[in-house]
Amino acid sequence: MSNIDSDQSNESPILLNPHHDYKIHHNGITRINTTNSHVMIGDISFERGEFVRAFEGYLNPGLARAPSRKFANPVPIGVASFAMTLFCVSLTNIGARGVSNPAGFAGLMLFYAGAIELLSGMWCFVMEATWAATLLSSFAAFWLGYGCISLDVFQVVSNYTEGQGTYNNFLGFWILAWAIFTSMMWITTLRSTWPMCVMVLLVVLTLIMLCASEFTAVAAPVASVHLKQAGGYFGLITSVIAWFVLYEGLCTPENSYWVPPVLLLPGAVTAVKKDD
């Protein structure tokens, strides 16, 4: 039990609830107590179960109110679709076994990482998980867009015939915008967990490498190839961590012999903040 006392009043405290051991004064709060089941904020009592700490299995970046609706966790399927698609596309970026055209994985981009991840993101809104909903829904749009570009849907690629490198610059701008967005999302993970923070950071590095590869495609083609391969390797590492996040979202003591611990970052909030 943790207590915060104030010397502002000498009046005898009132026991708000004999089962919770919450004490207040007539002139304000003098002690904030927490028990194994409840937390007192001001004159309001909350059950501890109403709050959840940072946990990558739910893509929850920090202490937040638990969802009021009881549904299955939609995050694992969204992370699974992202991880598998990124893994396959990254293999083409490094040119594994001579394969460098990602168009063959358009089905994964459009249906698995596109449609399924979008449904996962929308369901996160229902679960009141704003951060997860924003991330998953946005990257569903990324994969839908990249799938369309890979297949030249709407003649996106065919329309860039003005000059050498025009298409590469267009694609570089597009990837750069996603790198900026992902960087913003990464900043909000700095007080969450190590797997979540590292995963999003690696996505940022992957996008930066691919963006630089497109911008240097004409002026420095050899460097462009190396940058693209670096982006591919970053993507492969990212997909492995994403699969770990997927595992954490699915495993329980009932279905797994090993349930990994939650690796919180320094400064991660694990309890309700109390006023001094």
Side-chain angles (χ1 to χ4, degrees):
M1 181 177 294
S2 60
N3 304 311
I4 299 177
D5 295 290
S6 172
D7 297 329
Q8 295 177 354
S9 174
N10 294 322
E11 297 182 19
S12 60
I14 299 173
L15 188 62
L16 185 65
N17 188 314
H19 300 292
H20 297 172
D21 191 26
Y22 297 141
K23 298 179 180 180
I24 65 173
H25 273 275
H26 294 285
N27 296 332
I29 304 169
T30 60
R31 179 174 298 174
I32 301 177
N33 291 339
T34 60
T35 69
N36 291 332
S37 60
H38 287 78
V39 174
M40 186 70 173
I41 306 175
D43 60 352
I44 304 175
S45 172
F46 297 95
E47 292 186 2
R48 278 186 176 271
E50 295 182 42
F51 293 89
V52 291
R53 65 179 178 178
F55 177 51
E56 57 271 11
Y58 279 82
L59 289 184
N60 178 32
L63 189 73
R65 293 292 297 271
S68 58
R69 301 173 179 85
K70 302 299 182 182
F71 293 112
N73 181 12
V75 168
I77 183 62
V79 175
S81 61
F82 176 84
M84 182 180 294
T85 307
L86 179 62
F87 178 81
C88 293
V89 173
S90 295
L91 288 174
T92 65
N93 286 336
I94 66 175
R97 300 187 67 84
V99 180
S100 59
N101 188 346
F105 297 120
L108 280 176
M109 299 179 205
L110 296 175
F111 297 105
Y112 197 29
I116 297 300
E117 191 171 352
L118 180 60
L119 290 174
S120 172
M122 293 296 100
W123 204 248
C124 284
F125 276 118
V126 178
M127 294 288 292
E128 304 165 29
T130 305
W131 193 92
T134 302
L135 185 75
L136 293 175
S137 301
S138 297
F139 271 99
F142 170 86
W143 288 117
L144 286 168
Y146 193 59
C148 289
I149 292 173
S150 299
L151 293 178
D152 197 17
V153 178
F154 313 120
Q155 287 74 52
V156 173
V157 180
S158 304
N159 286 330
Y160 285 90
T161 58
E162 297 89 346
Q164 191 176 25
T166 305
Y167 168 74
N168 298 103
N169 288 330
F170 145 73
L171 194 55
F173 292 147
W174 189 75
I175 297 175
L176 176 62
W178 283 103
I180 294 171
F181 163 77
T182 311
S183 298
M184 295 173 61
M185 299 298 292
W186 172 68
I187 291 172
T188 61
T189 68
L190 295 178
R191 299 182 68 181
S192 61
T193 65
W194 282 105
M196 186 186 302
C197 182
V198 173
M199 178 183 71
V200 181
L201 175 60
L202 287 173
V203 175
V204 174
L205 295 176
T206 299
L207 293 170
I208 290 175
M209 292 297 105
L210 296 178
C211 174
S213 173
E214 295 299 332
F215 284 147
T216 58
V218 176
V222 176
S224 176
V225 171
H226 292 325
L227 287 168
K228 186 174 183 179
Q229 290 176 335
Y233 286 116
F234 277 125
L236 290 176
I237 299 171
T238 305
S239 63
V240 172
I241 297 178
W243 274 321
F244 175 79
V245 171
L246 163 66
Y247 176 78
E248 285 205 296
L250 293 176
C251 70
T252 66
E254 290 74 28
N255 64 23
S256 305
Y257 286 108
W258 179 66
V259 178
V262 179
L263 304 175
L264 295 173
L265 281 166
V269 180
T270 59
V272 179
K273 183 178 179 181
K274 306 174 183 63
D275 295 329
D276 294 331

